Amino acid sequence: MKYISTRDNSKEYSFEEVFIKGLADDGGLFIPKKIKKYTTEELNSLSNLSYQDLAKKIIFPFIGDFMTEAELSLIVDKSYSSFRKDNVVDLIKIGDAKILELFHGPTLAFKDIAMQLLGNFYEYYLSKNSKQINIIVATSGDTGAAAIDAIKGKENINIFVLHPHNKVSQVQRKIMSTVKEKNVFNIAINGNFDDCQNLVKAMFADKEFSNSINMSGVNSINWARIIAQAVYYFYTYFQIRDDRLVNFSVPTGNFGDVYAGYLSKKMGLPINKLIVATNQNDILHRAITNGKYEAETVIETNSPSMDIQIASNFERLIYDLNDFNDVETGNVMKKIKEEGKYIIPKDKLQKISKDFLSENMSETEVLNIIKDVHNRYNVILDPHSAIGFGALKKINIEGNNIVLATAHPCKFPDAIDKSIGIKSSLPNELQYIMNEKENYDIISNNINETQKYIKEKLQ
Ligand SMILES: *Cc1c(COP(=O)(O)O)cnc(C)c1O
């Protein structure tokens, strides 16, 4: 499969370039030149596979000549061997909805599902190329942990993780900062997540710097993450065997996870609606309901992994809305950068509404949902997953409704305690991090200082 950039579709890229670069040189996001659409028969032939075997079938067409099918097979099996569920994910029923638990990986968040695979893709790539790679990634809490777990201890690769100082939960921070491997560096930036993300973007754009350290990125715009996430939409769809329409409610920040659902639909999976569920940082909810894609200041909430005002992956949808017009997409993105907003025209909003619905949730609503679900079904949802569930309730749509549960509740003990008075504890394998020495450095929100820090560590 060949790839293009959303801002220049005349130049083709291989999967290897797409994976290693993350972002196109023109600033656009990579997307496939053409997406394979499955027929009903083809979908049927996939419907009884194990999660791992399904992942191999779904991912392989996307990676072209990066590796052979047999090599991919080994990597998929290895990537998911550390998960606590044989089939990677778990689907549980609560009332008339279903909860898709995606948090059974090593760092208790859905991001492990993509990140474990990426870690092994890097290892494979470096076994064929004598290079040293430095991954730099911004995190609102979960990406960093998942990336560190996937990269720690691997040869010829370092990882630098920027998190907003004092704005991730203590458990989220400790999962990252207690890792001892020498190729892992944690940086707390005096700023918010968008500041961290902007620093990483600026370091990428500084070609002299990024080339000099062979910088690579695993942020949610990395196409490899999207394809790994599409797998669980297919897997879940195949678990459901009745004729009602299927809707997914997706706790959303950077629009990566829900975009993977949209991609699955483009690939022929008969999904009805994707519900974009946001917290009070609801730029996407405002965009989808009244066409106002306009960044406001970030509010700190009890779902910190979604405290985002710039939804990076949204550009991929903007490209589709603009009928695959690269120049138009580039202009829209330029406008967003310069004026801080994009008013989506009516006809394009109508297009969005074919695939997406949206809702936002306040802090109090989130705590009430956690309490209500716990009372009724004896299930504890983390605040992010509760937003998915709450949005679904507010929208009140008929059908087979699936809520993506994106993190284990024990990652957010304060919110859980506040809602139901239960001190939710870490799984046994992770208990040790609470007493372990932490390693991270605090740096101001400044590109020169951050680059200097990274250069020094690499000497
Ligand atoms: C990252 C994250 C999200 C948001 O996913 P996006 O792909 O950024 O939309 C939701 N919940 C949790 C727990 C996360 O870590």
Side-chain angles (χ1 to χ4, degrees):
M1 192 177 285
K2 287 288 173 204
Y3 289 84
I4 49 161
S5 156
T6 48
R7 299 189 199 176
D8 176 3
N9 57 24
S10 63
K11 193 171 166 214
E12 290 184 353
Y13 301 84
S14 68
F15 174 78
E16 184 175 291
E17 287 172 284
V18 165
F19 166 55
I20 296 294
K21 280 174 184 275
L23 197 68
D25 287 337
D26 56 40
L29 304 196
F30 293 117
I31 42 167
K33 190 165 182 196
K34 196 164 174 284
I35 286 173
K36 172 183 164 62
K37 193 162 180 191
Y38 289 88
T39 62
T40 311
E41 293 77 57
E42 283 170 324
L43 286 174
N44 284 340
S45 75
L46 299 174
S47 66
N48 288 316
L49 298 177
S50 69
Y51 188 95
Q52 288 82 343
D53 287 345
L54 179 63
K56 296 165 196 174
K57 291 277 188 231
I58 299 286
I59 295 168
F60 188 64
F62 283 103
I63 67 171
D65 46 16
F66 183 53
M67 62 178 67
T68 66
E69 205 163 356
E71 285 167 329
L72 176 67
S73 175
L74 289 176
I75 283 184
V76 167
D77 289 338
K78 181 174 165 192
S79 300
Y80 296 130
S81 62
S82 58
F83 281 60
R84 291 179 298 282
K85 298 279 168 193
D86 288 343
N87 268 316
V88 183
V89 301
D90 210 10
L91 192 63
I92 63 167
K93 201 168 156 28
I94 65 170
D96 50 12
K98 294 196 179 69
I99 303 284
L100 176 62
E101 293 183 350
L102 299 170
F103 51 71
H104 297 292
T107 72
L108 313 173
F110 85 98
K111 294 194 169 78
D112 287 321
I113 294 179
M115 217 60 93
Q116 288 293 317
L117 196 71
L118 261 65
N120 290 317
F121 277 2
Y122 276 111
E123 185 169 60
Y124 175 86
Y125 172 79
L126 291 168
S127 73
K128 308 242 152 162
N129 297 272
S130 53
K131 272 193 185 165
Q132 210 179 27
I133 283 186
N134 289 292
I135 292 181
I136 304 186
V137 61
T139 186
S140 52
D142 288 332
T143 303
I148 287 172
D149 194 278
I151 301 292
K152 68 180 184 193
K154 289 201 168 15
E155 301 269 338
N156 295 321
I157 186 162
N158 298 305
I159 178 162
F160 293 85
V161 175
L162 280 61
H163 73 262
H165 188 39
N166 288 333
K167 292 190 173 65
V168 302
S169 83
Q170 192 196 33
V171 175
Q172 283 183 310
R173 190 191 65 238
K174 281 177 184 274
I175 294 182
M176 299 191 278
S177 62
T178 58
V179 172
K180 292 203 180 59
E181 277 79 355
K182 292 208 163 47
N183 65 340
V184 174
F185 303 93
N186 279 290
I187 305 171
I189 296 289
N190 266 319
N192 59 36
F193 169 69
D194 286 340
D195 295 327
C196 296
Q197 191 158 257
N198 285 334
L199 279 174
V200 173
K201 277 191 190 153
M203 286 191 272
F204 259 114
D206 178 349
K207 287 288 159 219
E208 198 187 319
F209 175 79
S210 57
N211 290 337
S212 74
I213 65 161
N214 257 329
M215 181 172 166
S216 187
V218 293
N219 271 102
S220 74
I221 50 142
N222 194 305
W223 183 258
R225 284 181 62 180
I226 305 279
I227 53 180
Q229 291 172 2
V231 175
Y232 46 73
Y233 287 93
F234 282 85
Y235 183 75
T236 307
Y237 184 88
F238 296 143
Q239 302 288 303
I240 290 170
R241 309 217 178 227
D242 71 46
D243 292 336
R244 289 180 303 161
L245 296 173
V246 175
N247 307 299
F248 287 93
S249 183
V250 188
T252 297
N254 248 329
F255 202 69
D257 203 5
V258 74
Y259 182 84
Y262 172 75
L263 171 69
S264 307
K265 189 170 178 183
K266 289 195 353 158
M267 290 164 73
L269 193 70
I271 295 173
N272 179 38
K273 298 285 185 203
L274 295 154
I275 298 172
V276 174
T278 74
N279 63 23
Q280 289 304 93
N281 298 291
D282 59 353
I283 179 168
L284 287 171
H285 173 57
R286 285 181 278 118
I288 292 169
T289 47
N290 57 32
K292 275 202 193 124
Y293 185 83
E294 183 171 14
E296 294 176 350
T297 42
V298 180
I299 307 165
E300 282 173 45
T301 72
N302 52 21
S303 47
S305 298
M306 289 156 48
D307 289 348
I308 288 167
Q309 281 289 342
I310 309 156
S312 316
N313 280 290
F314 200 57
E315 181 168 344
R316 293 191 161 111
L317 185 67
I318 291 176
Y319 180 78
D320 282 12
L321 295 177
N322 285 291
D323 300 317
F324 321 113
N325 184 325
D326 52 353
V327 177
E328 198 49 45
T329 306
N331 288 342
V332 169
M333 295 318 294
K334 196 164 152 234
K335 212 167 153 195
I336 293 175
K337 192 159 186 202
E338 284 165 4
E339 298 168 23
K341 67 175 174 203
Y342 170 44
I343 305 298
I344 306 173
K346 279 252 154 55
D347 59 319
K348 297 190 168 62
L349 261 191
Q350 249 164 15
K351 267 197 204 169
I352 294 184
S353 67
K354 278 199 200 130
D355 301 310
F356 297 97
L357 296 169
S358 74
E359 258 307 339
N360 64 358
M361 297 281 289
S362 73
E363 296 288 273
T364 322
E365 284 175 319
V366 172
L367 297 180
N368 286 339
I369 288 284
I370 295 172
K371 191 190 277 171
D372 190 49
V373 168
H374 183 246
N375 284 344
R376 280 176 202 242
Y377 312 111
N378 202 24
V379 168
I380 304 180
L381 295 178
D382 98 283
H384 305 78
S385 312
I387 287 171
F389 191 81
L392 176 68
K393 290 280 134 190
K394 274 189 173 177
I395 284 175
N396 191 18
I397 189 172
E398 285 288 313
N400 255 310
N401 295 326
I402 297 139
V403 177
L404 272 57
T406 47
H408 193 293
C410 73
K411 278 190 122 170
F412 306 95
D414 296 345
I416 304 300
D417 188 20
K418 211 165 155 188
S419 169
I420 52 177
I422 290 179
K423 301 253 184 274
S424 122
S425 60
L426 288 164
N428 288 338
E429 315 91 83
L430 275 170
Q431 287 283 348
Y432 74 94
I433 64 165
M434 296 317 283
N435 303 312
E436 200 80 9
K437 182 175 171 298
E438 291 189 67
N439 267 312
Y440 65 96
D441 292 304
I442 305 163
I443 296 186
S444 62
N445 174 21
N446 176 299
I447 179 162
N448 295 328
E449 257 191 66
T450 314
Q451 289 178 328
K452 189 164 152 256
Y453 176 92
I454 292 168
K455 286 266 185 192
E456 274 170 15
K457 291 290 176 191
L458 291 176
Q459 262 160 22

